[in-house]
Amino acid sequence: MPSRSPDCTISTIAYHIDDLPTNLRIFALDLVESNMMELYMKSKDGWCREDKEEEMQDVQSRYLVAFHGNVPVGMIHFQFLEEETMTDRDAEVAYCYEIQVIPEFQRKGIGAYLIGLLETIGRATKMEKVMLTVFKANKSAIKFYIDQMQYQYDEISPCVCLTRGRASRFDYEILSKSLA
């Protein structure tokens, strides 16, 4: 089970994209847009709601949605993937595309709880690690993952596998946590 329980009462439901109700699809996309659009706008790729919607509705997409009562307050969007490594073998990973919590429920442990659930699911499905991409400008997220959740820069993260000059051209890093 996750190492930390949230500081409020929540329930969590897991969904495959095929089973995610329309209202929760809209909730998830709206939440990403409200929480992240500013960071996306500052990134090299910018923000495009249609592109994000397409990504979030990919056939491999899965969700963990956190509810306070009957009200959704947070979610993780993830997929089980084979991800490249610095060797000739790909790694089986649970890739976290988005983790978002509505502002009034942030800093209550819901994000840590959801990441912990994803790690538990990853172990149960024999994934090697959990991976995620984070904007370099999102300093609070990097601090959360590294300091609180014990993630580290992955071997394929630009700051690890490229020279400093080449890595500086990227506005993101890739973090991971081994599930072994």
Side-chain angles (χ1 to χ4, degrees), residues 69-130:
N70 293 326
V71 179
V73 296
M75 64 87 187
I76 282 187
H77 165 221
F78 69 99
Q79 294 182 14
F80 298 120
L81 302 173
E82 287 188 3
E83 186 60 57
E84 66 183 337
T85 66
M86 296 304 288
T87 67
D88 60 355
R89 183 184 77 69
D90 289 346
E92 299 283 329
V93 305
Y95 207 107
C96 176
Y97 282 79
E98 296 289 345
I99 176 170
Q100 301 295 329
V101 177
I102 63 173
E104 54 270 31
F105 279 82
Q106 291 175 1
R107 309 239 182 309
K108 295 183 183 292
I110 295 171
Y113 182 75
L114 289 171
I115 285 287
L117 283 175
L118 181 56
E119 291 168 7
T120 299
I121 291 167
R123 283 186 194 92
T125 55
K126 309 291 189 226
M127 297 291 112
E128 296 173 48
K129 57 186 169 179
V130 172

Side-chain angles (χ1 to χ4, degrees), residues 17 20-36 47 49 52-53 56-57 63-65 72 74-77 98-102:
I17 188 62
L20 187 67
T22 301
N23 67 313
L24 293 179
R25 288 179 188 222
I26 294 167
F27 163 77
L29 183 58
D30 287 349
L31 185 57
V32 171
E33 184 173 53
S34 66
N35 284 358
M36 297 296 294
W47 171 258
R49 184 176 171 97
K52 181 52 76 172
E53 182 175 25
M56 293 178 73
Q57 294 187 17
Y63 287 82
L64 297 173
V65 181
M75 64 87 187
I76 282 187
H77 165 221
E98 296 289 345
I99 176 170
Q100 301 295 329
V101 177
I102 63 173

